[in-house]
Amino acid sequence: MPASLQEVKRRIESTKKTGQITGAMQMVSTAKLSQIQKHAVSYQVYAQKIRSVITHLAKSHLLDSAATGESETSQDGKINTLGMLKQRPVKKTGVVVITSDRGLVGSYNSNVIKQTMSLVNSGERNKDNVVILAIGGTGADFFKKRGYEVGYEYRGVKDIPTFREVQPIVNAIVTMYSNGQYDELYVCYSHFVNTLTSAFRAEKMLPISAENMGSDDFNTPDENGLMADYETEPSQDAILEVVLPQYAESLVYGAILDAKTSEHASSSTAMKSATDNAKDLIASLELQYNRARQSAITTEITEITGAQAALE
């Protein structure tokens, strides 16, 4: 067999093996996507409830009155979660960016990083007054290489993240805010729309206020002309100490869960595209191989016929 035919045959075999690998990876990503979507659907019920509670508290001005507290750290040294309500002059901005730890996810990471860079460089923000909190190795490595301050990084988020896994992340974020390492915090991630589509989101997480809760108007009466009001027991602060951490955890966990769903969808789509490309390449190489083989056979027949004619 001619050397050119052998080379084409090797490329066909190699591409077939690559296609088998990407096909298997597509099946794995699709299975993970199906699993995490079930978790996301059930979690959305809880997230909507806790958001509804905080919305009602904001509408009753309970958050506004609690935010007037002076201290952010309790006497026993623990974090006072009421500090999450305190508005401060913005000297430094914290940005949580959620990416994957690996590649093979199409444009998932590049889209998140590109949009996050737009946020980081908007207004008066720059490298000197922005702190990056990276969840995922791709984002951490990107901002480190470009000289940004990475104040916190978390790698190795599970394919199906658990609520317990997020709690230390939230504690670290709130501690940094309470210690004054930044004065406002945004969470940037890729929102899952459907298997083929995702949308970038940047949500303001801290400080918690009525303005960044996503409601049109917290100060208007309801249909009966009544304003929301609460009588709290045992105390206003005691209730907020329980509710506010749950709200912060719901935001971060919801963002990570949403981002992971988008990551699996992007991975599944990218591997499907790679598998389809492998099939197209194999078809092209097989056509090239058959044509070269046919040409070689034709050449051999011509040579044999010519030699026979010369002998006669």
Side-chain angles (χ1 to χ4, degrees):
M1 184 181 295
S4 58
L5 286 178
Q6 291 180 346
E7 179 63 26
V8 173
K9 192 172 183 179
R10 279 197 293 267
R11 288 188 62 190
I12 292 174
E13 294 301 323
S14 176
T15 306
K16 284 182 177 179
K17 291 178 181 178
T18 302
Q20 290 173 350
I21 294 172
T22 56
M25 293 176 69
Q26 178 194 348
M27 293 175 63
V28 171
S29 296
T30 303
K32 291 178 180 178
L33 175 61
S34 178
Q35 292 177 16
I36 200 170
Q37 280 183 300
K38 294 178 182 178
H39 285 263
V41 169
S42 59
Y43 175 75
Q44 284 174 0
V45 177
Y46 166 78
Q48 289 172 356
K49 290 295 182 182
I50 190 67
R51 191 178 185 89
S52 176
V53 170
I54 296 295
T55 299
H56 289 159
L57 294 178
K59 193 171 183 179
S60 70
H61 302 287
L62 195 61
L63 299 184
D64 296 337
S65 58
T68 59
E70 295 295 329
S71 65
E72 293 187 9
T73 306
S74 59
Q75 294 180 353
D76 58 4
K78 295 182 178 179
I79 299 171
N80 180 2
T81 54
L82 297 182
M84 298 164 65
L85 300 169
K86 192 170 183 180
Q87 303 281 342
R88 302 194 295 250
V90 179
K91 299 178 181 178
K92 212 159 193 177
T93 300
V95 178
V96 176
V97 54
I98 304 174
T99 59
S100 70
D101 290 305
R102 60 182 180 84
L104 302 178
V105 289
S107 60
Y108 169 79
N109 288 319
S110 59
N111 287 340
V112 173
I113 291 174
K114 179 181 178 181
Q115 296 293 337
T116 302
M117 286 293 290
S118 298
L119 173 67
V120 166
N121 295 320
S122 64
E124 299 180 356
R125 302 187 186 100
N126 52 57
K127 290 183 180 180
D128 298 326
N129 58 17
V130 169
V131 180
I132 301 297
L133 297 89
I135 301 177
T138 303
D141 295 337
F142 175 88
F143 285 100
K144 279 181 179 179
K145 289 178 180 178
R146 282 154 183 80
Y148 285 86
E149 178 187 352
V150 179
Y152 176 85
E153 62 178 287
Y154 185 94
R155 299 172 185 253
V157 177
K158 296 178 181 178
D159 290 326
I160 313 294
T162 62
F163 194 82
R164 181 173 296 180
E165 184 180 6
V166 173
Q167 289 178 326
I169 299 176
V170 177
N171 290 338
I173 289 172
V174 175
T175 299
M176 293 176 69
Y177 179 78
S178 298
N179 292 340
Q181 291 181 250
Y182 45 79
D183 305 298
E184 64 177 357
L185 179 69
Y186 288 87
V187 181
C188 301
Y189 63 98
S190 178
H191 166 61
F192 174 78
V193 179
N194 55 50
T195 306
L196 300 176
T197 308
S198 61
F200 176 79
R201 280 188 176 178
E203 298 178 346
K204 190 172 184 180
M205 175 180 167
L206 294 174
I208 297 174
S209 64
E211 287 74 18
N212 58 34
M213 294 284 299
S215 178
D216 295 332
D217 190 357
F218 288 89
N219 300 315
T220 55
D222 60 18
E223 63 273 10
N224 297 318
L226 301 176
M227 296 289 290
D229 193 15
Y230 290 89
E231 292 184 2
T232 57
E233 180 68 32
S235 69
Q236 168 183 298
D237 289 356
I239 291 174
L240 293 177
E241 286 283 353
V242 175
V243 175
L244 291 181
Q246 292 183 13
Y247 176 65
E249 289 169 354
S250 73
L251 279 181
V252 177
Y253 181 63
I256 293 176
L257 200 62
D258 200 356
K260 271 292 179 182
T261 305
S262 181
E263 178 187 336
H264 293 323
S266 296
S267 178
S268 176
T269 302
M271 292 303 100
K272 182 180 185 304
S273 178
T275 303
D276 291 342
N277 289 338
K279 291 179 180 178
D280 292 341
L281 181 57
I282 290 170
S284 176
L285 289 172
E286 286 180 342
L287 180 61
Q288 180 182 343
Y289 176 82
N290 290 334
R291 283 178 175 175
R293 187 165 176 268
Q294 184 178 10
S295 177
I297 293 172
T298 302
T299 301
E300 289 179 3
I301 293 174
T302 302
E303 290 175 352
I304 293 171
T305 304
Q308 185 178 5
L311 290 174
E312 293 178 353

